[in-house]
Amino acid sequence: MSLLPDSTRGPEGENATEKLASRIRNTRKLLAGAALVGGIIAADFALEYPEKISSLVLVGAGLRGDPQPPDIKEAIAAYQAASRGAEAFVNVTMSSALYAAVRPGSSVYSRLRQMILDNFKARPTFVPGFWKYPQKTTYERLNDINKPTLVIIGSEDSQTLKNIANTLATKIPGASKVIIPGSSHHPPVEKSKEFTRVVLGFLSQKKEMTK
């Protein structure tokens, strides 16, 4: 199994899917794309290198070419916070709709806060155009994904990402969707036992189908 995190650092102009392909050798693996950027890269990877994976799990994923209008107010708040430094950016992010179900002061809150602090180091890679992606958007190519796919979304994640989860589950042939109750944007951290149960169930079902 290869788990792709929310951000991946690299030199400017690097192709994100090519970078991941260089890490995955000849073994066909389950590829899990976690959160906004991880989900975007994982879906593109499944389209560009289908021979390298056996199945796909998209968790709270973003979607290149998603037709929904962006939340301008939230984007401006994040941009302004980032200009003030890592702590300000983390405070704004943790109070956003993405983490509505995470209780401040909890161990999960602490883990996610540290994760976002670590990801802030990759801030230069967030600039539009830093990564090179296939010219055709993922949204336009979802019908071409030909691997068993599981879409996971937290019941308390943002409405935008819930809508994307519905799009992925509808447009990817044969895809299934599971909602993790009580989780917002990071089910593997917020509801780890339930997340593990769901993924193992998916793998078990896939194994039965290939017998």
Side-chain angles (χ1 to χ4, degrees):
M1 175 176 176
S2 291
L3 181 65
L4 188 63
D6 194 29
S7 65
T8 308
R9 280 171 281 178
E12 186 168 358
E14 185 170 8
N15 185 301
T17 54
E18 286 181 3
K19 180 177 181 180
L20 182 58
S22 69
R23 295 179 180 179
I24 300 178
R25 303 301 179 183
N26 295 325
T27 305
R28 295 172 71 237
K29 299 182 178 182
L30 162 69
L31 180 64
L36 289 166
V37 179
I40 288 171
I41 296 175
D44 273 339
F45 187 90
L47 287 162
E48 296 297 309
Y49 300 96
E51 74 282 358
K52 287 184 174 288
I53 67 170
S54 61
S55 49
L56 180 65
V57 176
L58 300 171
V59 188
L63 176 62
R64 264 192 336 110
D66 175 36
Q68 296 180 93
D71 187 328
I72 300 299
K73 184 178 179 181
E74 189 170 285
I76 291 174
Y79 177 81
Q80 292 176 338
S83 69
R84 297 195 300 272
E87 289 292 334
F89 178 76
V90 171
N91 290 337
V92 167
T93 302
M94 291 302 297
S95 63
S96 71
L98 291 175
Y99 300 101
V102 181
R103 181 169 54 84
S106 65
S107 59
V108 168
Y109 184 94
S110 297
R111 284 187 65 190
L112 289 171
R113 182 180 175 81
Q114 185 58 52
M115 184 179 72
I116 296 168
L117 277 171
D118 291 341
N119 281 347
F120 187 80
K121 299 171 187 176
R123 183 189 171 198
T125 70
F126 301 161
V127 177
F130 184 93
W131 293 108
K132 289 184 178 179
Y133 288 101
Q135 188 172 6
K136 201 171 183 181
T137 69
T138 317
Y139 178 82
E140 298 172 272
R141 305 170 69 199
L142 290 175
N143 275 331
D144 295 332
I145 293 179
N146 60 3
K147 300 297 179 181
T149 301
L150 172 64
V151 178
I152 298 177
I153 189 74
S155 66
E156 307 305 313
D157 208 336
S158 72
Q159 188 58 52
T160 295
L161 293 180
K162 290 178 185 178
N163 293 342
I164 288 176
N166 289 338
T167 297
L168 295 170
T170 301
K171 290 186 173 292
I172 297 175
S176 57
K177 186 184 81 169
V178 172
I179 299 172
I180 304 290
S183 178
S184 44
H185 190 48
H186 278 280
V189 178
E190 298 175 51
K191 300 290 181 181
S192 58
K193 289 183 179 178
E194 178 64 9
F195 174 79
T196 301
R197 184 191 67 78
V198 167
V199 173
L200 290 178
F202 169 67
L203 293 175
S204 177
Q205 182 181 39
K206 187 172 75 72
K207 185 176 180 180
E208 287 296 320
M209 291 175 63
T210 56
K211 281 185 177 180

